[in-house]
């Protein structure tokens, strides 16, 4: 019996250690408040006496660019800003917990705009705050994307979409034109595929991001997830053909790496910058990465619209900044959002972060006009479809991601996997 | 007098720990129990449990989780046992060095370890493929085909956690009493017999402790899957923890996620109860039979 007690003691202590260890893991790394900010100050009055706001920003390039502009905002408005920087991977968790807990101290949150329908109930409607001047200066697609149920719930501070980045030197050497249709895309990719070079690349990891690539093919093929009445049409001929095309690029034409089902655009960008892929459909930020001084493909990259099959269309990606409904300082929160999206800041985001401005005034700035990316992007974005039009996009995209990664790993046929996805989406929308 | 005073001090000393445990364990548990029965219209019912138990995803994830648990735990026990026995044969200072080195995976956060392995298994630049290629083996696409993806995830978990198993077995082996072995020696027992009738029964306690901890742990497998495959391809490697996380955090269905988590506890409780029964039944057997077996004739 003594021995038994001994082992129970060992078991309990081990459990305690494991419990503590698991409690300490998985937390988000939060950046310290900026110098001079009242650390830990609740939303409301800062120690300096002026108003203060708490802002949750993602730990990415754009988040950093916003952080860099905060001192200007503070000196211009006298509002103190406390920043919590959250890694992109855990941002969803952080904001969900903040907004659902009811005890949130955040005033402004920045996040991918497709989460708007999910957070809509906890966000402040900005319709009454936005000036006529801003309404006219900012592109309509940006307002549409940030709206839900007829209310504007944020401002898009990053808009992006996929375009085709290609190795201009290789196309020139082979005497080939940039592909504009799916057929040309296949033939050019085949011509450029060699032992050390893939013609193109497909991304299909089980995650939200690669779904964007499928949606591009889907829209180009005249398909959609839902029709105008809200019926699921994902598994119709257009939807299946689009997914089959992605599978064929890998297995039938053999112009893209077989590891597609483990790729997001990060992996495809790596292959592109390491000179292993000739045609790389990817997000607009690839331009600034490929033009960096240490990039092996600097000055060898061209940009074009994605090839289309039946019509032009891309899925709009982007980030939005919203004010929290429970904010103690809604005016200061809106001031922050407006400041970070004014013409000066958009120009900076464009020049330093490669982000396409949504303001006409920013697009017309001389330093923006110098960058060739924005012409192509503006043209591409004009045909963009916002994801925030789908209610429960997260769940819908998860179903598509399962079908996509399964198709690319050949665990099933696109038709069969999309039928399952469509049935599940119907159930999700009905619940 | 003394005991009254001591017990009051003892209560005071453990009070903060008890409050902390109540706050971080009991409160969320009770909260999720309540929320799993709470319906969207404000009423109470079993709807969330019905939805979860009726969904294919749940059963597919349940099957995957069972396979992960069975595969990983048995591999860890066998490997841990073999290595611990091997270590026992080494000279003390070499053993200490080996033990120190083996603790390293335990010190690395599972997420970091998963990322390391993700890169090592990468089909383009991965170390594993380079090595296999150098010795003439065509490496598989580790994370692409469901079978290999399953294997890769298991490999990462085994790499991270086997040292724990080794440490437990090794310390149990080091504390074995010498007398029964000397007795067995005098009786002319072979090495195999000594192993079967002495070492194995003595290791019953630690074995069950390892089984309980590792089964509970692997049943909640999350990190390696989230990093390596995200649950894919398709739903081939989605575990219950990953599904519960997605349902609650990604899709905002907290009540359903709570129901799922609570359902997850049932198999864990059953298995743990079974193991604990094994300890109880073992206690009797050990004390009754063992001395008799090696009684001097």
């Amino acid at each position: 019996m003594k021995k038994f007690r001994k082992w129970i003691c060992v078991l309990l202590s081990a459990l305690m250690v494991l419990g503590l260890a698991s409690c300490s893991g998985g937390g988000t790394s939060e950046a310290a408040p900026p110098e001079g900010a009242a650390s830990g100050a609740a939303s409301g009055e800062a120690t300096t006496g002026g108003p203060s706001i708490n802002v949750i920003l993602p730990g990415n390039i754009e988040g950093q660019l916003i952080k860099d502009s905060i001192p200007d905002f503070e000196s211009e408005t006298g509002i103190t800003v406390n920043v919590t920087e959250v890694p992109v991977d855990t941002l969803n968790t952080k904001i969900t917990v903040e907004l659902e807990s009811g005890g949130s101290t955040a005033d402004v949150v920045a996040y991918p705009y497709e989460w708007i329908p999910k957070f809509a109930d906890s966000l402040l409607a900005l319709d009454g705050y936005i000036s006529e001047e801003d309404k006219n200066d900012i592109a309509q697609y940006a307002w549409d994307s940030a709206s839900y149920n007829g209310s504007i719930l944020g401002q898009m501070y990053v808009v992006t979409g996929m375009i085709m980045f290609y190795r201009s030197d290789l196309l020139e050497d082979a005497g080939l034109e940039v592909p504009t249709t799916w057929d040309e895309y296949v033939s050019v990719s085949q011509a450029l595929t060699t032992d050390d070079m893939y013609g193109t690349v497909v991304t299909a990891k089980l995650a939200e991001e690669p779904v964007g690539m499928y949606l591009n093919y889907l829209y180009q093929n005249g398909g959609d997830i839902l029709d105008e009445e809200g019926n699921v049409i994902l598994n119709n001929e257009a939807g299946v053909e689009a997914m089959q095309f992605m599978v064929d690029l890998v297995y039938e034409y053999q112009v893209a790496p077989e590891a597609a089902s483990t790729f997001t655009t990060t992996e495809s960008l790596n292959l592109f910058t390491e000179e292993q892929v000739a045609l790389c459909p990817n997000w607009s930020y690839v331009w600034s990465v490929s033009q960096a001084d240490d990039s092996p493909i600097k000055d060898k990259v061209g940009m074009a619209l994605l090839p289309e099959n039946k019509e032009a269309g891309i899925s709009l990606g982007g980030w939005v900044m919203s004010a929290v409904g429970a904010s103690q300082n809604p005016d200061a929160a809106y001031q922050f959002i407006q400041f970070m999206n004014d013409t000066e800041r958009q120009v900076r985001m464009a020049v330093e972060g490669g982000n396409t401005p949504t303001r006409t005034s920013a697009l017309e700035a001389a330093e923006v006009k110098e960058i060739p990316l924005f012409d192509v992007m503006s043209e591409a974005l004009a045909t963009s479809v916002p994801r925030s039009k789908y209610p429960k996009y997260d769940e819908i995209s998860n179903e598509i991601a399962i079908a996509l990664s399964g198709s690319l790993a050949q665990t099933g046929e696109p038709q069969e996997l999309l039928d399952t996805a469509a049935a599940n989406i119907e159930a999700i929308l009905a619940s | 007098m003394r005991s009254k005073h001591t017990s009051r001090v003892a209560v005071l000393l453990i009070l903060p720990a008890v409050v902390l445990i109540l706050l971080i364990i009991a409160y969320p548990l009770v909260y999720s129990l309540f929320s799993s029965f709470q319906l969207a219209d404000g009423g109470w019912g079993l709807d969330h449990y019905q939805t979860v138990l009726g969904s294919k995803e749940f059963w597919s994830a349940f099957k995957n989780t069972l396979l992960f648990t069975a595969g990983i735990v048995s591999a860890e026990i066998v490997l841990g046992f073999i290595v611990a026995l091997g270590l026992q044969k080494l000279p003390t200072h070499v053993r200490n060095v080996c033990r120190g080195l083996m603790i390293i995976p335990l010190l690395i956060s599972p997420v970091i370890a998963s990322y390391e392995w993700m890169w090592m298994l990468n089909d383009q630049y991965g170390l594993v493929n380079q090595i296999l290629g150098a010795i003439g083996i065509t490496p598989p696409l580790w994370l692409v085909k469901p079978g290999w993806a399953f294997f890769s995830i298991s490999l990462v978990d085994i790499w991270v956690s086997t040292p724990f198993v080794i440490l437990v077995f090794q310390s149990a082996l080091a504390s074995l009493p010498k007398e029964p072995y000397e007795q067995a020696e005098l009786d002319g027992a072979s090495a195999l017999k000594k192993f079967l009738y002495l070492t194995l029964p003595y290791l019953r306690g630690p074995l069950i402790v390892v089984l309980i901890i590792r089964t509970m742990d692997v049943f909640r497998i999350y990190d390696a899957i989230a990093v390596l495959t995200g649950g894919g391809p398709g739903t081939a490697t989605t575990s219950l923890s990953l599904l519960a996380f997605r349902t609650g955090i990604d899709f905002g269905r907290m009540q359903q996620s709570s129901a799922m988590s609570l359902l997850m506890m049932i198999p864990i409780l059953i298995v743990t109860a079974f193991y604990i029964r094994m300890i109880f039944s073992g206690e009797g057997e050990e004390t009754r039979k063992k001395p008799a077996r090696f009684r001097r004739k």
Side-chain angles (χ1 to χ4, degrees), chain A residues 1 3-4 7 14 18 92-93 118 205-206 258-259 261-262 274 276 394-395 398 402 405-406 409 411 424 431, chain B residues 57 123-125 141 143-146 206 213 216 227 230-235 249-251 253 279-280 283 286:
Chain A
M1 202 56 203
K3 209 159 154 236
F4 166 65
W7 282 111
L18 285 176
N92 193 355
T93 318
K118 182 167 66 170
K205 187 174 177 170
L206 179 54
E258 235 183 288
S261 65
T262 64
E274 285 169 19
Q276 295 186 48
D394 278 347
E395 287 182 81
N398 180 55
I402 290 172
S405 77
T411 62
N424 291 346
S431 68
Chain B
E57 288 79 14
D123 69 308
Q124 302 278 329
Y125 334 94
L141 288 167
L143 303 172
V144 175
K145 300 295 168 196
I213 293 178
M216 288 198 288
V227 173
T235 52
I249 301 295
D250 288 350
F251 311 148
R253 295 175 186 260
I279 298 186
F280 273 112
E283 277 301 307
E286 245 171 62

Side-chain angles (χ1 to χ4, degrees), chain A residues 99 107-130 135 142-157 319-325 333-334 337 341 388:
Chain A
L99 298 183
D107 299 282
V108 175
V109 285
Y111 56 93
Y113 81 103
E114 60 265 20
W115 300 347
I116 288 178
K118 182 167 66 170
F119 298 143
D121 292 344
S122 312
L123 302 176
L124 182 72
L126 300 180
D127 305 69
Y129 290 89
I130 298 161
K135 261 188 192 150
W143 291 125
D144 292 345
S145 310
S147 300
Y148 189 66
N149 279 346
S151 298
I152 297 173
L153 296 175
Q155 272 198 34
M156 302 286 290
Y157 68 98
W319 290 71
V320 69
M321 232 185 259
S322 294
V324 178
Y334 178 72
I337 295 171
N341 281 292
S388 51

Side-chain angles (χ1 to χ4, degrees), chain B residues 246-261:
Chain B
R246 289 241 165 96
T247 310
I249 301 295
D250 288 350
F251 311 148
R253 295 175 186 260
M254 286 292 181
Q255 287 90 351
Q256 240 180 59
S257 170
S258 298
M260 219 178 269
S261 316

